[in-house]
């Protein structure tokens, strides 16, 4: 496949390595202010920055190029991207986290929330730790985990960052040099706690998942998630 990388930072470079190993060709490496013809690509993979993600995705969909989006922090425009994809009969996958491990963790989180939904003695907390260059907080993955709890536990209907409130899943965001991404879900009672943690050793899992999603998306029409790609959940 001919792949366009929209964003050639830490993730763009990690994706390039995996894509080349899997026999693909990188035809566009677009970063800030790059000029390119997106139609040169069979599929685009956007790992850029929150303020440009929607514009990059729109460029792809308006030109008939399927697009995989890993950028986080642009959720306010997600519904517009979905509408544009349907209007143009394009292909679009967005995920807060493309790694297989985190997608399994998402399912465990939903199941644990269901089990906890009648056990009022336990209270949930989320923590995410990322490198200090990260632009958004909380992480997209932490928001997905919080939503998994909200959908399955009647005591929670929103999330809150670095604070506490009734009916809110509290999320603490920490920034520490060189951490690729660590997420912890913890249920605490007066007697004990139960904790689930996903720790990425490096960015390889995110990059591999994004390339697998791109391979899967080509030739399909619609809006998809990683559950469709991995057939889990
Ligand atoms: N969904 C997932 O599995 C993962 C998502 N991410 C997300 O991906 C995004 C990128 O992460 P990193 O590569 O670590 O960040 P990064 O800061 O290393 O790279 C982002 C790149 O986008 C470039 N950029 C700025 N304007 C652009 C434009 N108009 N078009 C194309 N590129 C432009 C920047 O110059 C920079 O090189 C972040 O939002 C991060 O949260 C990161 C890892 C995994
Ligand atoms: O910015 C990152 O690095 C990461 N961002 C994603 C997120 O916001 O959840 C995924 C991963 O944790 C790495």
């Amino acid at each position: 496949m001919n792949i366009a990388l929209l964003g050639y930072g830490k993730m763009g470079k990690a994706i390039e390595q995996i894509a080349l190993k899997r026999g693909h060709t990188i035809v566009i490496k677009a970063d800030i202010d790059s000029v390119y013809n997106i139609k040169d690509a069979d599929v685009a993979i956007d790992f850029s920055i929150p303020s440009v993600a929607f514009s990059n995705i729109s460029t792809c969909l308006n030109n008939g190029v399927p697009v995989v989006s890993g950028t986080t922090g642009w959720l306010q425009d997600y519904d517009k991207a979905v509408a544009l994809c349907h209007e143009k009969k394009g292909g679009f996958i967005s995920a807060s986290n493309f790694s297989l491990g985190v997608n399994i963790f998402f399912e465990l989180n939903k199941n644990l929330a269901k089990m906890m939904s009648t056990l009022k003695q336990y209270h949930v907390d989320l923590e995410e730790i990322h490198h200090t260059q990260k632009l958004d907080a909380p992480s997209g993955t932490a928001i997905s985990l919080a939503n998994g709890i909200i959908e399955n536990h009647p005591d929670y209907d929103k999330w809150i960052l670095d604070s506490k409130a009734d009916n809110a899943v509290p999320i603490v965001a920490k920034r520490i040099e060189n951490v690729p991404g660590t997420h912890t879900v913890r249920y605490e009672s007066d007697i004990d706690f139960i904790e689930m943690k996903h720790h990425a050793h490096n960015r390889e899992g995110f990059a591999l998942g994004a390339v697998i999603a791109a391979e899967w998306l080509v030739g399909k029409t619609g809006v998809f998630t990683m559950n469709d790609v991995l057939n889990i959940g």
Side-chain angles (χ1 to χ4, degrees):
M1 288 184 326
N2 288 334
I3 298 178
L5 296 177
L6 307 183
Y8 194 58
K10 292 181 284 301
M11 279 304 297
K13 291 182 177 103
I15 290 166
E16 178 180 33
Q17 296 306 311
I18 302 270
L20 293 175
K21 273 192 209 150
R22 291 174 73 90
H24 303 302
T25 305
I26 308 299
V27 288
I28 295 168
K29 293 178 198 174
D31 208 84
I32 193 163
D33 292 338
S34 299
V35 177
Y36 56 91
N37 182 357
I38 195 67
K39 289 185 176 174
D40 291 341
D42 300 317
V43 63
I45 305 181
D46 180 87
F47 279 74
S48 57
I49 57 173
S51 56
V52 305
F54 177 63
S55 157
N56 284 349
I57 292 162
S58 301
T59 300
C60 298
L61 294 173
N62 282 324
N63 285 283
V65 176
V67 57
V68 172
S69 166
T71 308
T72 53
W74 66 279
L75 271 179
Q76 71 283 356
D77 289 326
Y78 178 76
D79 289 347
K80 282 197 277 174
V82 167
L84 183 63
C85 180
H86 290 313
E87 181 196 326
K88 299 290 176 184
K89 299 189 173 26
F92 174 49
I93 294 183
S94 162
S96 61
N97 201 305
F98 280 94
S99 80
L100 175 61
V102 162
N103 281 278
I104 293 168
F105 190 64
F106 284 153
E107 295 309 308
L108 292 173
N109 172 58
K110 288 180 203 163
N111 283 326
L112 186 55
K114 258 181 226 158
M115 292 170 78
M116 287 294 178
S117 62
T118 54
L119 303 176
K120 302 300 174 191
Q121 62 272 44
Y122 286 97
H123 299 280
V124 75
D125 280 287
L126 288 185
E127 181 188 83
E128 58 102 334
I129 311 175
H130 284 87
H131 53 93
T132 50
Q133 296 94 51
K134 186 158 179 62
L135 296 179
D136 53 321
S139 67
T141 305
I143 294 173
S144 299
L145 287 166
N147 287 336
I149 294 166
I150 290 163
E151 284 157 20
N152 289 288
H153 195 308
D155 291 357
Y156 301 104
D157 58 18
K158 57 182 178 287
W159 55 263
I160 189 165
L161 179 62
D162 293 332
S163 184
K164 298 265 180 197
D166 284 349
N167 305 328
V169 176
I171 305 177
V172 171
K174 295 184 178 167
R175 297 291 171 259
I176 299 174
E177 276 312 301
N178 298 326
V179 176
T182 301
H183 293 87
T184 306
V185 178
R186 181 180 168 114
Y187 286 85
E188 179 96 40
S189 78
D190 290 341
I191 293 174
D192 56 9
F193 69 81
I194 298 172
E195 197 172 86
M196 289 198 307
K197 182 181 294 218
H198 179 274
H199 174 81
H201 293 310
N202 51 48
R203 294 183 171 79
E204 198 176 320
F206 312 138
L208 176 61
V211 175
I212 288 172
E215 291 166 352
W216 183 92
L217 182 62
V218 169
K220 294 190 176 70
T221 299
V223 177
F224 303 99
T225 69
M226 273 310 267
N227 278 2
D228 299 310
V229 178
L230 297 172
N231 214 6
I232 57 173

